[in-house]
Amino acid sequence: MTAISDRFETLKQNQECALIPFITAGDPDLETTAAALKILDSNGADIIELGIPYSDPLADGPVIQAAATRALQNGTKMESVLEMLKVTTPSLQAPIVLFTYYNSILHRGIDNFLEQVAAAGVAGLVVPDLPLEEAAGLLKPATERGIDLILLIAPTSSSERIEAIARSSQGFIYLVSVTGVTGMRSQVEGRVLDLLQKVRQVTDKPLGVGFGISQPAQATQVRDWGADAAIVGSAFVQRLATGTPAEGLSAIAEFCQILKAAIKTS
């Protein structure tokens, strides 16, 4: 059983919904990123998604795009992120999932990349621009190294495609709540409930909902609709970037506690 599957199994036994915060590596710097990972880990995060800054982030909204731009301007590179993780992950309870684009993987070579992320203690990968039809080339070698490749299902996915993605996705299945990029929205669209029900009919794998969750009430709503995890990105990235690094770290600690309390079953 992988680290992510093990975490979901424990949560299932306790009838808990997982909280998965997202932050961008290197914004404002990698020292702060390492501190943020530890703070999220100790304030309610069950799994942590860490975005690798990329120059053409097709799936990211303005908040995360801006964070990636700042990180790249500061000189953040994949290798430096992995070196930071190698030092940091041994002290974390929450498994780390890297959010990265496929070109960054191909540039390094799939096997070389996977060896590096495995050595850094990474438990899973989300590659938003990797279509199902091309996933096998990454899925098999990742699985051999105990790294989960987490695939995405969009609201527009057909029933046949949903079933195929559900079969292949490892760790959990990432349900995209909107047709569009990441970002904070005022409410979760009602069709997320329909999507959850549709996917649940074909798999018992954990289902995480992301893209657009930014408020405690929204996290509670997706939990009540049957999600196994609430994934929150832009709201964390924005808080971490506000004020001094110390103020940002304090803000994400408080927000993490509030969100975890919102999805705890009464």
PDB file of all heavy atoms in Angstrom, residues 82-83 85-87 89-90 112-122 145 147:
ATOM      1  N   LEU A  82      13.474  19.625  -5.226  1.00  0.00           N
ATOM      2  CA  LEU A  82      13.659  18.239  -4.789  1.00  0.00           C
ATOM      3  C   LEU A  82      14.727  18.127  -3.705  1.00  0.00           C
ATOM      4  O   LEU A  82      14.600  17.301  -2.787  1.00  0.00           O
ATOM      5  CB  LEU A  82      14.013  17.357  -5.997  1.00  0.00           C
ATOM      6  CG  LEU A  82      12.907  17.231  -7.058  1.00  0.00           C
ATOM      7  CD1 LEU A  82      13.389  16.393  -8.232  1.00  0.00           C
ATOM      8  CD2 LEU A  82      11.638  16.643  -6.462  1.00  0.00           C
ATOM      9  N   GLU A  83      15.755  18.945  -3.787  1.00  0.00           N
ATOM     10  CA  GLU A  83      16.764  18.953  -2.718  1.00  0.00           C
ATOM     11  C   GLU A  83      16.143  19.414  -1.403  1.00  0.00           C
ATOM     12  O   GLU A  83      16.440  18.867  -0.336  1.00  0.00           O
ATOM     13  CB  GLU A  83      17.936  19.858  -3.112  1.00  0.00           C
ATOM     14  CG  GLU A  83      18.868  19.254  -4.135  1.00  0.00           C
ATOM     15  CD  GLU A  83      19.487  17.948  -3.677  1.00  0.00           C
ATOM     16  OE1 GLU A  83      19.943  17.879  -2.514  1.00  0.00           O
ATOM     17  OE2 GLU A  83      19.493  16.991  -4.466  1.00  0.00           O
ATOM     18  N   LEU A  85      12.999  19.084  -0.586  1.00  0.00           N
ATOM     19  CA  LEU A  85      12.105  18.018  -0.131  1.00  0.00           C
ATOM     20  C   LEU A  85      12.873  16.862   0.509  1.00  0.00           C
ATOM     21  O   LEU A  85      12.416  16.261   1.483  1.00  0.00           O
ATOM     22  CB  LEU A  85      11.266  17.508  -1.301  1.00  0.00           C
ATOM     23  CG  LEU A  85      10.116  18.408  -1.745  1.00  0.00           C
ATOM     24  CD1 LEU A  85       9.466  17.851  -3.009  1.00  0.00           C
ATOM     25  CD2 LEU A  85       9.075  18.553  -0.637  1.00  0.00           C
ATOM     26  N   LYS A  86      14.021  16.565  -0.041  1.00  0.00           N
ATOM     27  CA  LYS A  86      14.824  15.463   0.492  1.00  0.00           C
ATOM     28  C   LYS A  86      15.153  15.684   1.966  1.00  0.00           C
ATOM     29  O   LYS A  86      15.185  14.744   2.770  1.00  0.00           O
ATOM     30  CB  LYS A  86      16.118  15.315  -0.328  1.00  0.00           C
ATOM     31  CG  LYS A  86      16.907  14.058  -0.034  1.00  0.00           C
ATOM     32  CD  LYS A  86      18.165  13.984  -0.884  1.00  0.00           C
ATOM     33  CE  LYS A  86      17.848  13.847  -2.352  1.00  0.00           C
ATOM     34  NZ  LYS A  86      19.069  13.648  -3.178  1.00  0.00           N
ATOM     35  N   VAL A  87      15.350  16.940   2.314  1.00  0.00           N
ATOM     36  CA  VAL A  87      15.656  17.296   3.706  1.00  0.00           C
ATOM     37  C   VAL A  87      14.387  17.384   4.542  1.00  0.00           C
ATOM     38  O   VAL A  87      14.391  17.054   5.734  1.00  0.00           O
ATOM     39  CB  VAL A  87      16.411  18.648   3.751  1.00  0.00           C
ATOM     40  CG1 VAL A  87      16.632  19.088   5.180  1.00  0.00           C
ATOM     41  CG2 VAL A  87      17.734  18.543   3.014  1.00  0.00           C
ATOM     42  N   THR A  89      10.952  16.106   3.849  1.00  0.00           N
ATOM     43  CA  THR A  89       9.928  15.055   3.932  1.00  0.00           C
ATOM     44  C   THR A  89      10.106  14.068   5.091  1.00  0.00           C
ATOM     45  O   THR A  89       9.101  13.586   5.619  1.00  0.00           O
ATOM     46  CB  THR A  89       9.831  14.263   2.607  1.00  0.00           C
ATOM     47  OG1 THR A  89      11.136  13.785   2.231  1.00  0.00           O
ATOM     48  CG2 THR A  89       9.266  15.130   1.502  1.00  0.00           C
ATOM     49  N   PRO A  90      11.331  13.763   5.531  1.00  0.00           N
ATOM     50  CA  PRO A  90      11.433  12.821   6.651  1.00  0.00           C
ATOM     51  C   PRO A  90      10.736  13.291   7.929  1.00  0.00           C
ATOM     52  O   PRO A  90      10.378  12.468   8.779  1.00  0.00           O
ATOM     53  CB  PRO A  90      12.949  12.688   6.864  1.00  0.00           C
ATOM     54  CG  PRO A  90      13.531  12.974   5.520  1.00  0.00           C
ATOM     55  CD  PRO A  90      12.666  14.057   4.952  1.00  0.00           C
ATOM     56  N   ASN A 112      14.722   9.090 -15.024  1.00  0.00           N
ATOM     57  CA  ASN A 112      15.569   9.963 -14.206  1.00  0.00           C
ATOM     58  C   ASN A 112      14.727  10.832 -13.281  1.00  0.00           C
ATOM     59  O   ASN A 112      15.038  10.978 -12.090  1.00  0.00           O
ATOM     60  CB  ASN A 112      16.422  10.849 -15.117  1.00  0.00           C
ATOM     61  CG  ASN A 112      17.330  11.772 -14.344  1.00  0.00           C
ATOM     62  OD1 ASN A 112      18.111  11.341 -13.506  1.00  0.00           O
ATOM     63  ND2 ASN A 112      17.221  13.071 -14.605  1.00  0.00           N
ATOM     64  N   PHE A 113      13.648  11.390 -13.822  1.00  0.00           N
ATOM     65  CA  PHE A 113      12.751  12.211 -13.005  1.00  0.00           C
ATOM     66  C   PHE A 113      12.182  11.407 -11.848  1.00  0.00           C
ATOM     67  O   PHE A 113      12.177  11.871 -10.693  1.00  0.00           O
ATOM     68  CB  PHE A 113      11.624  12.761 -13.880  1.00  0.00           C
ATOM     69  CG  PHE A 113      10.516  13.414 -13.108  1.00  0.00           C
ATOM     70  CD1 PHE A 113      10.650  14.702 -12.593  1.00  0.00           C
ATOM     71  CD2 PHE A 113       9.316  12.735 -12.882  1.00  0.00           C
ATOM     72  CE1 PHE A 113       9.629  15.300 -11.868  1.00  0.00           C
ATOM     73  CE2 PHE A 113       8.290  13.328 -12.169  1.00  0.00           C
ATOM     74  CZ  PHE A 113       8.442  14.612 -11.655  1.00  0.00           C
ATOM     75  N   LEU A 114      11.687  10.213 -12.132  1.00  0.00           N
ATOM     76  CA  LEU A 114      11.067   9.402 -11.083  1.00  0.00           C
ATOM     77  C   LEU A 114      12.081   8.987 -10.017  1.00  0.00           C
ATOM     78  O   LEU A 114      11.748   8.920  -8.831  1.00  0.00           O
ATOM     79  CB  LEU A 114      10.403   8.174 -11.695  1.00  0.00           C
ATOM     80  CG  LEU A 114       9.143   8.465 -12.527  1.00  0.00           C
ATOM     81  CD1 LEU A 114       8.676   7.203 -13.237  1.00  0.00           C
ATOM     82  CD2 LEU A 114       8.034   9.024 -11.646  1.00  0.00           C
ATOM     83  N   GLU A 115      13.309   8.711 -10.436  1.00  0.00           N
ATOM     84  CA  GLU A 115      14.347   8.388  -9.453  1.00  0.00           C
ATOM     85  C   GLU A 115      14.589   9.578  -8.527  1.00  0.00           C
ATOM     86  O   GLU A 115      14.752   9.420  -7.308  1.00  0.00           O
ATOM     87  CB  GLU A 115      15.644   7.996 -10.169  1.00  0.00           C
ATOM     88  CG  GLU A 115      15.584   6.666 -10.903  1.00  0.00           C
ATOM     89  CD  GLU A 115      15.443   5.481  -9.965  1.00  0.00           C
ATOM     90  OE1 GLU A 115      15.751   5.599  -8.773  1.00  0.00           O
ATOM     91  OE2 GLU A 115      14.988   4.421 -10.443  1.00  0.00           O
ATOM     92  N   GLN A 116      14.591  10.772  -9.098  1.00  0.00           N
ATOM     93  CA  GLN A 116      14.820  11.975  -8.298  1.00  0.00           C
ATOM     94  C   GLN A 116      13.678  12.233  -7.318  1.00  0.00           C
ATOM     95  O   GLN A 116      13.919  12.540  -6.148  1.00  0.00           O
ATOM     96  CB  GLN A 116      15.002  13.182  -9.221  1.00  0.00           C
ATOM     97  CG  GLN A 116      16.300  13.206  -9.988  1.00  0.00           C
ATOM     98  CD  GLN A 116      16.410  14.441 -10.872  1.00  0.00           C
ATOM     99  OE1 GLN A 116      15.443  14.873 -11.495  1.00  0.00           O
ATOM    100  NE2 GLN A 116      17.591  15.022 -10.920  1.00  0.00           N
ATOM    101  N   VAL A 117      12.445  12.118  -7.787  1.00  0.00           N
ATOM    102  CA  VAL A 117      11.322  12.415  -6.885  1.00  0.00           C
ATOM    103  C   VAL A 117      11.159  11.331  -5.829  1.00  0.00           C
ATOM    104  O   VAL A 117      10.777  11.618  -4.687  1.00  0.00           O
ATOM    105  CB  VAL A 117      10.000  12.647  -7.659  1.00  0.00           C
ATOM    106  CG1 VAL A 117      10.115  13.828  -8.591  1.00  0.00           C
ATOM    107  CG2 VAL A 117       9.555  11.407  -8.411  1.00  0.00           C
ATOM    108  N   ALA A 118      11.471  10.087  -6.190  1.00  0.00           N
ATOM    109  CA  ALA A 118      11.420   9.023  -5.188  1.00  0.00           C
ATOM    110  C   ALA A 118      12.454   9.267  -4.095  1.00  0.00           C
ATOM    111  O   ALA A 118      12.168   9.105  -2.898  1.00  0.00           O
ATOM    112  CB  ALA A 118      11.642   7.663  -5.852  1.00  0.00           C
ATOM    113  N   ALA A 119      13.670   9.674  -4.501  1.00  0.00           N
ATOM    114  CA  ALA A 119      14.722   9.967  -3.523  1.00  0.00           C
ATOM    115  C   ALA A 119      14.357  11.146  -2.639  1.00  0.00           C
ATOM    116  O   ALA A 119      14.824  11.244  -1.495  1.00  0.00           O
ATOM    117  CB  ALA A 119      16.038  10.240  -4.247  1.00  0.00           C
ATOM    118  N   ALA A 120      13.510  12.052  -3.156  1.00  0.00           N
ATOM    119  CA  ALA A 120      13.087  13.226  -2.382  1.00  0.00           C
ATOM    120  C   ALA A 120      11.913  12.925  -1.460  1.00  0.00           C
ATOM    121  O   ALA A 120      11.463  13.814  -0.731  1.00  0.00           O
ATOM    122  CB  ALA A 120      12.722  14.365  -3.336  1.00  0.00           C
ATOM    123  N   GLY A 121      11.395  11.705  -1.509  1.00  0.00           N
ATOM    124  CA  GLY A 121      10.304  11.336  -0.616  1.00  0.00           C
ATOM    125  C   GLY A 121       8.927  11.708  -1.121  1.00  0.00           C
ATOM    126  O   GLY A 121       7.962  11.743  -0.351  1.00  0.00           O
ATOM    127  N   VAL A 122       8.810  11.960  -2.418  1.00  0.00           N
ATOM    128  CA  VAL A 122       7.510  12.314  -3.004  1.00  0.00           C
ATOM    129  C   VAL A 122       6.646  11.062  -3.106  1.00  0.00           C
ATOM    130  O   VAL A 122       7.102   9.993  -3.528  1.00  0.00           O
ATOM    131  CB  VAL A 122       7.705  12.947  -4.398  1.00  0.00           C
ATOM    132  CG1 VAL A 122       6.369  13.116  -5.119  1.00  0.00           C
ATOM    133  CG2 VAL A 122       8.422  14.285  -4.248  1.00  0.00           C
ATOM    134  N   ARG A 145       7.897   2.357  -8.615  1.00  0.00           N
ATOM    135  CA  ARG A 145       8.684   3.048  -7.598  1.00  0.00           C
ATOM    136  C   ARG A 145       7.836   3.469  -6.392  1.00  0.00           C
ATOM    137  O   ARG A 145       8.307   4.200  -5.536  1.00  0.00           O
ATOM    138  CB  ARG A 145       9.374   4.269  -8.212  1.00  0.00           C
ATOM    139  CG  ARG A 145      10.454   3.896  -9.225  1.00  0.00           C
ATOM    140  CD  ARG A 145      10.913   5.109 -10.008  1.00  0.00           C
ATOM    141  NE  ARG A 145      12.065   4.841 -10.852  1.00  0.00           N
ATOM    142  CZ  ARG A 145      11.999   4.268 -12.053  1.00  0.00           C
ATOM    143  NH1 ARG A 145      10.818   3.913 -12.548  1.00  0.00           N
ATOM    144  NH2 ARG A 145      13.088   4.056 -12.772  1.00  0.00           N
ATOM    145  N   ILE A 147       5.195   5.381  -6.449  1.00  0.00           N
ATOM    146  CA  ILE A 147       4.696   6.747  -6.607  1.00  0.00           C
ATOM    147  C   ILE A 147       3.349   6.696  -7.318  1.00  0.00           C
ATOM    148  O   ILE A 147       3.226   6.105  -8.395  1.00  0.00           O
ATOM    149  CB  ILE A 147       5.685   7.612  -7.415  1.00  0.00           C
ATOM    150  CG1 ILE A 147       7.030   7.692  -6.694  1.00  0.00           C
ATOM    151  CG2 ILE A 147       5.122   9.003  -7.659  1.00  0.00           C
ATOM    152  CD1 ILE A 147       8.136   8.311  -7.524  1.00  0.00           C
TER     153      ILE A 147
END
